[in-house]
Amino acid sequence: MGVVVVAAGSGTRLGADRPKAFVELVGVTILERSLRGVLAALPDEVVVVVPPTHVDETSALVEHLGESGSRISVVAGGAERTDSVSAGLAELSEGIRWVLVHDAARCLTPVAVFERVLAALRAGVVGAIPGVPVVDTIKVVDTGGVITETPLRETLRAVQTPQGFDREVLTAAHAAGAAATDDAALVEALGHDVLVVKGDHRALKVTTPEDLVRAERLLSELP
Ligand code: C5P
């Protein structure tokens, strides 16, 4: 199994002086925390996708992570998240059958979430992603803000990463070239079923300064 960790976003909404993955959360960067979480899932291979300006710094970090048993490489990402994922996929070795795409920003994701996604792939699905039920009622609105639809809340899930797929299917989905905010959407667009498995509130995506505070609180509650 290979993992593509996307960390090439600028993190504008966090308002820091550096790309989000390089911001520290209680003394350790978001990227390093994510990578340690990913390595706990014992992947054969990890591709870390970072801004072109941060390839050297990340290569040094990866060396410092030490003996993990996983092959780790670092590549430069692109302007959109899908460009960064494509750059990571291109770097995976030929023999890799399943690939998990993970947002570096979800740096507190428990290893159990990786294991649930992998278990679903091993059981034969083409794609599996973690998700949690939504607490709010969600509305679909038009460009003027007028509600056009109220989906049944019981049918909705807020989805997270790692998102796992058959490697060939995900590569074909990216080659099809559409824009999307997650990888599952590209695979769905090809007509494949993607299963939602149980996510975890700790897999939050650190996006705003408030998320950093939440993440610090979650960390302080960990054993
Ligand atoms: O932009 P957003 O916060 O949704 O990004 C989710 C993840 O995708 C982050 O870990 C971010 O670093 C990554 N990303 C990327 N390349 C981009 C944009 C986002 O690797 N061009």
Side-chain angles (χ1 to χ4, degrees):
M1 173 268 291
V3 185
V4 173
V5 181
V6 283
S10 60
T12 321
R13 288 167 290 181
L14 197 56
D17 58 354
R18 65 196 80 178
K20 176 164 72 182
F22 298 87
V23 170
E24 287 187 0
L25 174 62
V26 196
V28 179
T29 63
I30 286 176
L31 179 59
E32 179 167 349
R33 288 192 183 277
S34 283
L35 290 179
R36 290 193 186 281
V38 165
L39 292 173
L42 306 178
D44 299 298
E45 202 166 305
V46 180
V47 182
V48 192
V49 188
V50 295
T53 47
H54 285 67
V55 170
D56 290 347
E57 177 179 338
T58 307
S59 301
L61 164 68
V62 160
E63 270 180 37
H64 150 86
L65 282 177
E67 297 293 309
S68 67
S70 307
R71 172 181 181 264
I72 313 180
S73 49
V74 180
V75 297
E80 304 294 335
R81 185 184 179 282
T82 39
D83 302 322
S84 297
V85 176
S86 292
L89 287 176
E91 190 65 21
L92 281 178
S93 303
E94 286 225 336
I96 296 290
R97 174 166 173 204
W98 292 307
V99 57
L100 270 52
V101 181
H102 188 47
D103 291 336
R106 299 183 192 273
C107 58
L108 301 183
T109 307
V111 70
V113 178
F114 288 83
E115 287 165 354
R116 282 197 286 273
V117 169
L118 258 181
L121 293 174
R122 290 201 174 106
V125 302
V126 156
I129 72 174
V132 292
V134 297
V135 290
D136 294 318
T137 295
I138 308 283
K139 303 286 185 186
V140 180
V141 294
D142 65 18
T143 49
V146 177
I147 296 164
T148 56
E149 204 188 324
T150 304
L152 260 184
R153 191 169 60 188
E154 292 71 29
T155 66
L156 298 174
R157 299 291 178 270
V159 303
Q160 306 171 328
T161 72
Q163 299 197 343
F165 306 93
D166 175 288
R167 185 259 187 88
E168 282 181 15
V169 169
L170 185 62
T171 305
H174 273 269
T181 51
D182 80 342
D183 295 281
L186 299 176
V187 172
E188 292 158 42
L190 289 192
H192 294 288
D193 284 344
V194 179
L195 181 69
V196 177
V197 300
K198 192 166 161 286
D200 191 294
H201 69 287
R202 287 165 290 183
L204 84 152
K205 184 169 69 173
V206 176
T207 307
T208 63
E210 292 73 29
D211 295 332
L212 261 184
V213 175
R214 259 178 84 198
E216 277 169 21
R217 200 173 54 232
L218 283 172
L219 261 179
S220 71
E221 289 165 4
L222 290 177

